[in-house]
Amino acid sequence: MFYNKFFKKQTTAPKTETERIDKVKSSVIPKHVAIIMDGNGRWAKKRSLPRVAGHHEGMKVVRKITILANDLGIETLTMFAFSTENWKRPKTEVDYLMNLPEEFLKIYLPELIEKNVKVQMIGDRTQIPKHTLRAVDKAIDDTKDNDGLILNFALNYGSRAEILHAVKEIALDIKNGKIVEENISEELFSNYLMTKNLPDPDLLIRTSGEIRLSNFMLWQLAYTEFCFTNVLWPDFNEEEFLNAIEQYQKRSRRFGGI
Ligand code: FPP
């Protein structure tokens, strides 16, 4: 009691967002954060708006979180923007979602360039409309020399398809004598995935209260810390993101050890 009262280090709660950011930055920062942005439709429904209004609001949140992640010194931010299963949605919604990267980049690319952000993409390009790819490829090219945060869009991404593709490529390389079966290791396998140039995520955030992975980075998330929040993606903000990072900072990561 006496000790606590007189000698315990004073820990004052940060007052401003800048103070909070500084506090978060003074502890361990995850290198790679991946986000399943969920709840856009429910956000819109609660406001009697069309579902696409939720996606539009969600797009603005992508910008906010990208800027903060860059400020925090996070190296990679992977955003699940469209899954291989999302084609099942009504055509109008799919078309809207396929227009969003273009709209996002039209508005925010200059800011991303200025902030030294590097845009990348993972996903199956074959089904993505040409206009969407054109916008994304331009952003990738315009930011290729930046060395700040990697903003990695998962677009038409599905983890099982990614793994199957890797298996087929490995089989082909064995057949062609490029590799031998004995050399297949976790490291080699990782190099056949779309994320080959990225570290595995340290932290996964999923919004909207759903507690599942929905075919997202199944291999890469093996040792990732998970943070699920009930907040719907369009309501997600800097404070929520800092909450998730703080949760991560309290976790003890043992990677199977003790
Ligand atoms: C899931 O919410 C969200 C999506 C399928 C799309 C996510 C896309 C964005 C947040 C915008 C992306 C922005 C850029 C820049 C590409 P849902 O529609 O499944 O929501 P619900 O579960 O409430 O219906």
Side-chain angles (χ1 to χ4, degrees), residues 36-45 51-52 54-63 66 79-83 86 89 93 96-105 108 132 136 151 153-155 206-208 210 212 232-234:
I36 304 178
M37 309 178 281
D38 199 5
N40 296 350
R42 276 163 284 169
W43 182 92
K45 195 170 175 206
R51 289 178 55 80
V52 295
H55 297 317
H56 195 263
E57 201 61 27
M59 178 190 79
K60 298 184 208 161
V61 181
V62 173
R63 182 245 161 206
T66 301
M79 306 296 245
F80 202 6
F82 193 92
S83 79
N86 286 153
R89 296 185 177 208
E93 186 172 342
Y96 193 89
L97 284 169
M98 282 297 153
N99 274 326
L100 269 187
E102 210 173 331
E103 188 177 348
F104 174 84
L105 292 164
Y108 301 118
T132 312
V136 174
L151 173 60
F153 285 112
L155 213 53
R206 182 171 187 151
T207 57
S208 90
E210 308 297 349
R212 55 177 172 262
L232 304 174
W233 178 251

Side-chain angles (χ1 to χ4, degrees), residues 160-174 184 189 192-193:
R160 287 187 172 184
E162 178 192 34
I163 289 170
L164 278 184
H165 183 261
V167 169
K168 286 179 190 170
E169 290 287 304
I170 290 172
L172 204 64
D173 281 353
I174 291 176
I184 300 175
F189 192 80
Y192 279 81
L193 297 174

Side-chain angles (χ1 to χ4, degrees), residues 158-223:
S159 186
R160 287 187 172 184
E162 178 192 34
I163 289 170
L164 278 184
H165 183 261
V167 169
K168 286 179 190 170
E169 290 287 304
I170 290 172
L172 204 64
D173 281 353
I174 291 176
K175 201 170 130 194
N176 294 333
K178 282 195 194 161
I179 53 168
V180 289
E181 189 196 326
E182 292 71 44
N183 293 139
I184 300 175
S185 61
E186 290 189 9
E187 196 192 346
L188 179 134
F189 192 80
S190 296
N191 283 329
Y192 279 81
L193 297 174
M194 293 165 178
T195 48
K196 59 174 176 282
N197 297 319
L198 301 171
D200 289 339
D202 300 294
L203 172 66
L204 170 82
I205 301 170
R206 182 171 187 151
T207 57
S208 90
E210 308 297 349
I211 304 181
R212 55 177 172 262
L213 291 181
S214 303
N215 199 15
F216 186 56
M217 300 184 104
L218 303 177
W219 171 274
Q220 296 88 338
L221 295 174
Y223 285 102

